[in-house]
């Protein structure tokens, strides 16, 4: 049974920390990415996204397709993610120029759509006869999924139907093939499943629910599908192994899956679609599979930063408890996918763990994916960087010590932009009688049930969250798992109520001021002994923020041993450093070095302080040693 | 200037620890490997080595080549390495059956040699026209090198010339192409360089010195050679990148190289040939390059076990100070190559460090490569094994927790056999007036200069080494770098002499009993802070043996924290465990686990003991957690 839904993006107006990030996305990231799409950004890898649509339109009209297609097979999705980010920006902050830019791109997209609704510039420009012959690698359904998400967002933000109509025709084209004509096949890269659920809600057209269910239910039923498909064609994009079903979560039917495998973004997107379908159709068996997979990811395969994916090989999960900090993949997009997954689990089950993971992934890995100035991006988010090794050794080449500008494969930057723009939909939920606060996000929210709230907070640095609530109904606020103690005040009076699954519920009638005071004591965190790479190490967190130790503050970081017997000092909020942070200073010792590679000379220890900054802000002060997990002393 | 040479293998008769290993090789490894070569070993990967020679002979006689060629492109080298091991066994332990088996294989090899001296079953069976068209991958020169080594060894052991004549004709064929005809090209896999130096010494034919020098001097002069070669042919063995010159140490002329790169076995074999040529030709520039490369390997890229090669990607070095214990490659053959390199450095320079590294590699990585029963082998020698991750995660698939029987690529097992059989040549050296003891090996040795010694010791477990020396000249004994203190007694009286470069020299005239007492105190060893993966960790060694901690003795090993403030207890020698060992027992604490993946609950510590066994003996008691590097407490 669907307990709650996300609020529309239009209903939350951010300020505070989230507001500053939304402003950065609006003023810097979106314009920069527009230039990238149009190949106008200097010193940046060629994108060709707009040109691909222009050339596809020409090809469809029988004209010469200009300079053809350029880029990744999924290049179209960059346009879709940018449009989705633009939609979220316009939803709360009208901007004629930006809307014109979006409409211009939408016109090109519409012209690139084939008569039957098919939409993909790679195949339209290069070879229309190869359409649908390579679901393994072709990313047609993945790109359609992103375009559908963009269309729903743009329609909701602006009321304009053009892109929505394109998306509907495209989805009907896909429906015709995979449902009406019952042609075998599932997306090599899941994503359209969750997108179709959005389209179903916007259009109320049951085809799209059916189509999403079709892709979810048939996935993994025939593990030889991709191999049979590959035998029928004489071309490949990357030479992917069609038998590596674990990579794309198609080794067995999704309802039988218990172990998160393969490409972490594919996994997270698939699980999101599954959880969404399960809540929409009240499918207990599917929901049970989602719970198993959630537990496997979150309790056995997730970095402390909310990142997922332990290896660059396939950008993938490996095995339980294998969480190397220095060779981590922890792709920005995968953390975004994990937020999606958590948000859809909340549709069926109100439990604080989902919000705990969502805010962990958001405040740490997702934000770390972007330079503080919004101009450079990490695709991969290591938890340890050692200059000379990270980014250099063949085993560490993906773990860059500083953010590059743009990637040939540009999935992450626009994904960060759309996630930040729509964070309100993940932070707040509603149903008939209840307003849910899953994440703490300053700003104002109105709910469909008539309730409204103003959230005043300097979260994630100040742990006091004030709500001015009005209306009639229930307010449900998540108590974060990291908060050892907390207090709740209603109109100044202490309010004591045992939380249910980590949520405090209270009845609202009229106007109230409700204050939550969470515990901002820094916490030393260890990993279970089952994680061999983290034996003898500690991490440091405060509230939702995981901290890290950088060379610029500490000299050689790997020489430090943290003393956990002393509570770290919490600085005041300093807006002059790293865009505004609270520093933590731990007691530590520094270990003397030895001259030889190996030595039996006794070590010397000197007491010192170890300065930690929020992980999301690392790598903003040049190339630099960095560690989340520190060796301990004592 | 050449200071000393290795003694011939015939001049050392082993007993004690080394003697037991040589007996194991003779009685178990060599017969087992003979069965493998003839495809008679049950439950073992097909080898087809003998059949390849038979089929090549048929092909040369114009007969049908039977079931053709099977195996790796370098499959012939397994025959050569087996013959070399047999030669070393026969040299000190005549065995008619074994000699007959060897002669039978030599007959087949001789029949597989082409008229012009060319010898390689892969090309002879498959396509004679492709000879010499793929030095990048074809391994023709590598296989010739191994056959030359076998031929020299077999001639020296038995006086029989047949294989030596085959090798000479083969080497002259190669000389004709690369020296007389001046055709461009260097081996994709170095090895023939060092083999030709042996052939030169056995035959005194200067062609072979010239040819070795030709391959060494021209290596890396034209980094585009392999790419140009690849352009000229339409086939490949593995699709190797011809531009990846670092992989095969051909990015620049060897005299300009300072940084050990690429495939560790190739590197070690190349450097061995370089050092041998440098001493033979008194080439100071080449020797300087060897010293730089030695220093780079030993002081920045070597595991504490004497293993080299930090990654499975290319079985290769990565960058300085990147020494992950759990994803190590540390190939058995590479450690053998490092012993070769050290032994050739000793030809030009008597310095204890070379012997220190040779014994480290031998007693730890080389011996670890073989099961105690001589029946199973490690190719890869990790310094940490975590069941469920090691051998399973795609990043750890090469790090097996138990030794398999035989590999399709079977380079390591016969390499171990030949190294153990010839260890005397590395342990002892000589020149006109001096007998050198580089390693401590029980048994009797006679030197060409008339000196002789009997070495009585229970090394590596007892640190007392007694020599009964006779003759006239000097004795030079290495003082191991790990021995903090030592005493020397000559005929019962203390002998005090400052060592020169780590060697104690003494004049011998007549018969003397000389006793060295080294320091068997266990040592806790740390790595420099420059190695990020080993921060906060300790290893434990005693004498030449590095110890490790296994699950079978300790329960969950990663829960232990070693207390370095207490000296570990040294057990008596126990011949009932692991073929006879001395155990070390360290004080430690065991850390309580937590229920969650991450937790801020304080840890509980319980005092306990941590039992360590020699690293070479690990993995002999079933699948098992294992660590060389342990977290510390206090």
């Amino acid at each position: 049974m669907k307990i709650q839904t996300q609020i529309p993006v239009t209903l939350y107006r951010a300020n505070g920390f989230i507001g500053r990030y939304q402003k950065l996305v609006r003023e810097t990231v979106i314009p920069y990415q527009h230039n990238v799409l149009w190949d106008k950004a200097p010193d940046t890898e060629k994108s060709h996204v707009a040109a691909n649509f222009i050339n596809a339109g020409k090809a469809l009209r029988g004209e010469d397709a200009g300079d053809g297609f350029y880029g990744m097979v999924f290049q179209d999705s960059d346009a879709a993610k940018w449009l989705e980010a633009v939609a979220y920006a316009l939803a709360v902050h009208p901007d004629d120029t930006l809307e014109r830019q979006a409409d211009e791109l939408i016109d090109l997209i519409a012209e690139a759509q084939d008569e039957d609704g098919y939409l993909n510039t790679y195949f339209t420009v290069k070879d229309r006869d190869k359409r649908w012959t390579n679901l393994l690698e072709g990313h047609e359904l993945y790109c359609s999924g992103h375009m559908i998400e963009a269309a729903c967002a743009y329609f909701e933000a602006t009321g304009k139907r053009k892109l929505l109509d394109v998306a509907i025709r495209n989805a009907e084209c896909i429906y015709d093939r995979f449902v009406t004509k019952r042609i075998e096949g599932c997306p090599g890269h899941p994503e359209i499943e969750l997108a179709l659920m959005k389209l179903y809600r916007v259009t109320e057209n049951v085809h799209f629910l059916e189509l999403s269910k079709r892709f979810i239910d048939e996935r993994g039923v025939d593990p030889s599908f991709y191999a049979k498909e590959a035998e029928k064609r004489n071309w490949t994009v990357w030479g992917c192994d069609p038998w590596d079903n674990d990579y794309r979560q198609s080794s067995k039917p999704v309802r039988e899956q218990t172990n998160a495998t393969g490409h972490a973004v594919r996994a997270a997107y698939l699980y999101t679609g599954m959880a969404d379908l399960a809540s929409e159709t009240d499918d207990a068996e599917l929901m049970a599979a989602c719970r198993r997979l959630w537990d496997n990811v979150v309790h056995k395969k997730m970095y402390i930063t909310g990142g997922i994916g332990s290896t660059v090989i396939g950008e993938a999960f490996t095995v339980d408890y294998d969480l190397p900090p220095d060779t981590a993949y922890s792709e920005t997009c995968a953390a975004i996918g994990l937020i999606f997954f958590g948000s859809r689990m909340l549709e069926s089950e109100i439990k604080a763990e989902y919000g705990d993971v969502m805010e962990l992934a958001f405040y740490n890995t997702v934000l770390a994916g972007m330079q503080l100035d919004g101009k450079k991006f990490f695709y991969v988010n290591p938890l340890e960087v050692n200059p000379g090794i990270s980014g250099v050794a063949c085993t560490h080449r993906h773990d860059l010590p500083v953010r590059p500008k743009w990637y040939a494969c540009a999935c992450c930057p626009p994904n960060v932009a759309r996630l930040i723009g729509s964070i309100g939909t993940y932070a707040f939920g509603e149903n008939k009688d209840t307003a849910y606060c899953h994440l703490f996000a300053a700003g104002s929210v109105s709910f469909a049930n008539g309730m409204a709230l103003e959230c005043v907070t300097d979260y994630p640095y100040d742990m006091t969250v004030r709500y001015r609530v009005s209306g009639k109904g229930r307010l449900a606020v998540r108590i974060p798992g990291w908060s050892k103690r907390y207090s709740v005040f209603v109109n100044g009076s202490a309010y004591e109520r045992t939380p249910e699954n980590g949520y405090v519920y209270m009845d609202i009638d009229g106007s109230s001021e409700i204050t939550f005071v969470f515990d901002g004591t820094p916490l030393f965190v260890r990993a279970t002994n089952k994680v061999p790479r983290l034996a003898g190490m500690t991490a440091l967190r405060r509230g939702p923020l995981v901290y890290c130790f950088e060379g610029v503050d500490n000299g050689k970081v790997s020489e430090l041993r943290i003393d956990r017997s002393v509570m770290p000092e919490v600085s005041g909020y300093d807006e002059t450093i790293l865009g505004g942070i609270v520093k933590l200073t731990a007691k530590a010792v520094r270990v003397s070095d030895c001259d030889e590679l190996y030595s039996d000379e006794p070590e010397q220890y000197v007491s010192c302080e170890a300065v930690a900054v929020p992980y999301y802000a690392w790598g903003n002060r040049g190339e630099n040693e960095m560690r989340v997990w520190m060796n301990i002393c004592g």
Side-chain angles (χ1 to χ4, degrees), chain A:
Chain A
M1 198 190 70
K2 188 153 179 177
I3 295 177
Q4 62 102 33
T5 56
Q6 296 169 9
I7 64 158
V9 74
T10 45
L11 299 187
Y12 167 62
R13 291 283 185 290
N15 57 41
F17 186 87
I18 300 285
R20 287 196 297 279
Y21 263 97
Q22 290 195 345
K23 184 163 183 279
L24 182 69
V25 165
R26 210 160 54 225
E27 296 182 353
T28 303
V29 181
I30 287 175
Y32 174 71
Q33 294 185 356
H34 183 258
N35 284 339
V36 170
L37 300 180
W38 287 89
D39 292 311
K40 291 178 196 161
D43 308 325
T44 296
E45 292 229 33
K46 182 174 158 186
S47 154
H48 211 256
V49 167
N52 287 339
F53 283 103
I54 293 169
N55 293 342
K58 286 180 182 166
L60 288 176
R61 291 189 300 271
E63 299 167 18
D64 178 66
D67 58 352
F69 179 90
Y70 174 88
M72 296 281 180
V73 66
F74 48 81
Q75 205 78 349
D76 288 2
S77 63
D78 287 357
K81 281 190 261 184
W82 180 78
L83 282 171
E84 192 182 340
V86 169
Y88 300 142
L90 293 176
V92 294
H93 198 273
D95 178 330
D96 288 346
T97 307
L98 184 58
E99 193 166 330
R100 223 169 22 243
Q101 289 175 341
D103 288 338
E104 182 187 17
L105 187 58
I106 289 168
D107 288 344
L108 296 179
I109 292 167
E111 285 174 34
Q113 185 166 37
D114 216 333
E115 276 176 37
D116 61 355
Y118 183 86
L119 176 62
N120 187 290
T121 71
Y122 179 87
F123 289 93
T124 300
V125 171
K126 291 188 113 146
D127 191 346
R128 290 167 75 189
D129 290 340
K130 290 183 175 167
R131 290 170 21 163
W132 305 125
T133 61
N134 190 350
L135 297 190
L136 177 73
E137 305 171 312
H139 280 69
E140 287 151 299
L141 295 169
Y142 171 85
C143 290
S144 288
H146 273 300
M147 202 57 80
I148 290 166
E149 286 201 86
C152 294
Y154 202 70
F155 171 71
E156 290 187 314
T158 65
K160 291 181 177 173
R161 286 198 62 95
K162 184 163 188 174
L163 188 60
L164 185 65
D165 290 336
V166 165
I168 290 170
R169 284 180 58 214
N170 184 230
E172 289 287 13
C173 162
I174 297 165
Y175 180 87
D176 180 60
R177 178 178 182 87
F178 292 97
V179 179
T180 309
K181 298 196 178 118
R182 297 174 184 271
I183 295 174
E184 199 184 356
C186 279
H189 193 316
E191 137 66 294
I192 196 168
E193 299 85 348
L194 75 92
L196 287 165
M197 295 304 296
K198 289 188 176 181
L199 189 61
Y200 163 63
R201 292 204 188 96
V202 169
T203 63
E204 295 183 343
N205 181 337
V206 77
H207 276 188
F208 307 137
L209 180 71
E210 279 177 61
L211 183 56
S212 178
K213 185 168 158 55
R214 152 74 180 72
F215 285 138
I216 286 169
D217 283 349
E218 293 206 9
R219 187 167 206 85
V221 170
D222 177 9
S224 68
F225 165 73
Y226 295 103
K228 290 187 298 194
E229 185 199 58
E231 273 177 22
K232 287 185 211 142
R233 69 171 177 266
N234 60 356
W235 65 283
T236 176
V237 178
W238 297 288
C240 286
D241 175 6
W243 281 110
D244 186 4
N245 283 299
D246 276 349
Y247 173 71
R248 67 190 74 84
Q249 303 81 40
S250 55
S251 294
K252 46 181 147 176
V254 298
R255 286 155 202 276
E256 298 171 19
Q257 295 184 19
T258 53
N259 186 28
T261 68
H263 190 263
V265 175
R266 285 168 213 241
Y269 285 6
L270 171 64
Y271 306 156
T272 300
M274 287 163 59
D276 208 349
L277 181 68
S279 78
E280 194 66 40
T281 59
D282 214 2
D283 184 333
E285 188 188 38
L286 188 60
M287 188 61 192
C290 291
R291 271 202 204 89
R292 288 195 305 273
L293 291 163
W294 173 270
D295 284 344
N296 183 254
V297 170
V298 166
H299 299 299
K300 295 181 177 173
K301 289 182 172 132
M302 185 182 73
Y303 284 99
I304 192 174
T305 50
I308 53 175
S310 295
T311 179
V312 64
I313 304 169
E315 308 176 312
F317 293 112
T318 58
V319 295
D320 294 349
Y321 304 116
D322 178 37
L323 293 160
D326 59 332
T327 54
Y329 204 70
S330 184
E331 184 179 335
T332 308
C333 286
I336 291 170
L338 186 57
I339 294 172
F340 295 165
F341 185 18
S343 74
R344 303 315 193 274
M345 292 300 281
L346 281 168
E347 293 176 356
S348 292
E349 185 173 46
I350 301 298
K351 207 167 79 171
E353 181 177 278
Y354 300 119
D356 286 350
V357 170
M358 288 161 66
E359 77 168 3
L360 195 66
F362 176 71
Y363 281 107
N364 299 290
T365 304
V366 176
L367 293 188
M370 186 164 69
Q371 189 101 328
L372 291 172
D373 63 8
K375 291 179 178 166
K376 296 182 177 182
F377 300 88
F378 277 134
Y379 199 96
V380 167
N381 296 281
L383 284 79
E384 178 179 318
V385 157
N386 298 293
I389 295 176
S390 302
V392 181
C394 60
T395 44
H396 294 66
R397 208 159 278 155
H398 56 292
D399 289 296
L400 303 180
V402 289
R403 293 169 187 81
K405 275 189 117 151
W406 193 261
Y407 294 82
C409 170
C411 61
C412 296
N415 224 357
V416 171
R418 72 181 180 129
L419 191 274
I420 290 174
S422 60
I423 193 71
T425 69
Y426 305 102
F428 302 99
E430 61 183 320
N431 65 8
K432 287 189 195 99
D433 71 344
T434 312
Y436 292 95
C437 299
H438 303 304
L439 310 179
F440 308 104
S444 59
V445 196
S446 50
F447 296 89
N449 63 16
M451 292 172 67
L453 64 79
E454 175 81 26
C455 174
V456 180
T457 183
D458 289 323
Y459 199 84
Y461 288 109
D462 190 285
M463 303 303 153
T464 301
V465 181
R466 277 175 231 284
Y467 294 107
R468 292 195 201 97
V469 195
S470 62
K472 186 170 163 59
R474 286 198 308 168
L475 181 70
V477 178
R478 172 178 138 263
I479 306 300
W482 50 259
S483 190
K484 298 283 129 183
R485 289 171 300 275
Y486 64 93
S487 314
V488 189
F489 302 92
V490 176
N491 297 323
S493 306
Y495 177 85
E496 288 188 15
R497 181 73 61 95
T498 306
E500 297 170 36
N501 284 327
Y503 278 73
V504 167
Y505 288 81
M506 53 188 67
D507 295 319
I508 302 293
D509 193 357
S511 288
S512 307
E513 174 155 322
I514 298 160
T515 304
F516 286 79
V517 183
F518 298 117
D519 185 354
T521 311
L523 299 173
F524 286 115
V525 180
R526 52 150 322 174
T528 164
N529 291 339
K530 299 185 185 78
V531 183
R533 273 300 301 277
L534 303 179
M537 296 180 123
T538 189
L540 183 56
R541 70 179 291 176
R542 178 171 179 267
L545 299 177
V546 174
Y547 276 67
C548 70
F549 298 79
E550 287 198 276
V552 69
D553 297 312
N554 294 290
K556 190 142 182 57
V557 176
S558 59
E559 288 175 359
L560 298 175
R561 306 284 178 268
I562 302 295
D563 181 350
R564 293 176 303 169
S565 69
V566 184
M567 178 65 61
E569 202 180 288
V570 181
S571 80
Y573 179 76
D574 184 344
E575 64 182 11
T576 67
I577 319 167
L578 292 169
I581 62 161
V582 168
K583 266 191 205 175
L584 302 179
T585 304
K587 279 277 166 210
V589 296
R590 186 176 295 281
V591 181
S592 62
D593 204 356
C594 54
D595 294 333
E596 293 297 309
L597 180 56
Y598 304 110
S599 169
D600 55 28
E601 296 295 323
E603 293 161 3
Q604 307 296 322
Y605 298 94
V606 180
S607 289
C608 66
E609 293 185 330
V611 174
V613 299
Y615 173 75
Y616 75 79
W618 85 273
N620 276 278
R621 293 173 293 175
E623 182 162 335
N624 193 16
E625 196 182 351
M626 184 277 290
R627 282 190 176 217
V628 169
W629 291 99
M630 299 287 285
N631 290 100
I632 58 176
C633 66

